[in-house]
Amino acid sequence: LCDPNPCGSDATCTTNGSTYTCTCPGGSYFTGETCRDDPCEPNPCIDDAGDAVGTCKISHSVYECTCPNTNSRTTITDCKTSGHSNLDHSGKCIDLPEGVCAACQGDCDTDDDCGDGLTCFVRDSNSPSQDDPVPGCLDNPSSLYAKDFCVYESIWQCGDAEYLVVDGMERDCSWVLASEKCDTYSSYCKQTCDYCRPKTGAATRSSAVDA
């Protein structure tokens, strides 16, 4: 039943008697029974009136919209002009009165630093964070290089890209790790390069070092 693999998007197929189950990989936005449901169908790139006005594509572990409006977002999940926030660098999340950060707020170190339904989008301090925009947030000023922000889990899931192109050749994240190139390609390989920081239920120390 699993040979050839009926599951899409590098999903894992397991058999159970006369049936099989597809387990979608972390970071994949392809879902459904065979992990083939495309997040770009129907087109999520709608404006405030609900009309599909943008172009949707899969990039890294998120889908993103290219929109005709003039907002400054580079990694966005719709073409609405309302309901999004600028990045808010308020200091360490654990030091805030609430003890956690809201969406587009940081600096977070792990998912424990983010409120319910949020995850910490960790960026590499040795590579230009301007090239790793924060999903679902309006801006990405150069002054916030290497700062990490909380984003909605429904928008972004931490994981690895299926592949990346280096000098015209397709590479995967095992190559990035073996070549010690996480500083360069961490935005593609967050799982492999240890930038996924799941909740542990423990409070994050304010003295934690940034990624």
Side-chain angles (χ1 to χ4, degrees):
L1 294 175
C2 289
D3 187 17
N5 189 350
C7 309
S9 189
D10 285 338
T12 301
C13 179
T14 54
T15 58
N16 183 16
S18 59
T19 63
Y20 67 86
T21 300
C22 296
T23 303
C24 307
S28 172
Y29 266 81
F30 288 88
T31 59
E33 291 185 356
T34 59
C35 301
R36 295 180 185 275
D37 290 354
D38 191 337
C40 289
E41 293 293 339
N43 188 351
C45 306
I46 59 175
D47 60 15
D48 291 293
D51 297 323
V53 297
T55 302
C56 178
K57 68 174 183 177
I58 304 295
S59 178
H60 305 353
S61 59
V62 300
Y63 72 87
E64 58 185 44
C65 296
T66 301
C67 303
N69 56 33
T70 58
N71 66 58
S72 62
R73 287 174 283 165
T74 52
T75 301
I76 55 178
T77 54
D78 60 48
C79 293
K80 296 179 180 180
T81 56
S82 60
H84 297 280
S85 301
N86 289 324
L87 294 180
D88 177 12
H89 184 231
S90 303
K92 290 296 183 183
C93 298
I94 196 172
D95 294 331
L96 298 179
E98 300 82 3
V100 293
C101 281
C104 300
Q105 193 175 35
D107 191 10
C108 58
D109 291 311
T110 75
D111 291 355
D112 284 312
D113 291 329
C114 302
D116 291 342
L118 302 175
T119 186
C120 183
F121 183 76
V122 179
R123 306 194 283 185
D124 188 280
S125 59
N126 296 309
S127 58
S129 291
Q130 194 72 5
D131 296 336
D132 198 9
V134 182
C137 302
L138 288 171
D139 60 352
N140 189 33
S142 59
S143 60
L144 297 181
Y145 276 4
K147 299 301 181 183
D148 310 320
F149 295 88
C150 297
V151 300
Y152 288 107
E153 291 177 336
S154 59
I155 288 178
W156 181 79
Q157 301 173 17
C158 192
D160 291 339
E162 184 176 345
Y163 68 90
L164 60 154
V165 178
V166 180
D167 296 330
M169 298 183 63
E170 287 190 5
R171 303 288 192 179
D172 60 19
C173 291
S174 62
W175 175 86
V176 171
L177 186 64
S179 304
E180 298 182 351
K181 293 184 178 293
C182 276
D183 286 359
T184 305
Y185 300 112
S186 63
S187 61
Y188 293 87
C189 302
K190 288 190 180 291
Q191 180 74 50
T192 293
C193 295
D194 195 30
Y195 294 111
C196 296
R197 310 284 171 77
K199 291 183 184 295
T200 63
T204 304
R205 294 183 299 125
S206 60
S207 59
V209 178
D210 282 343

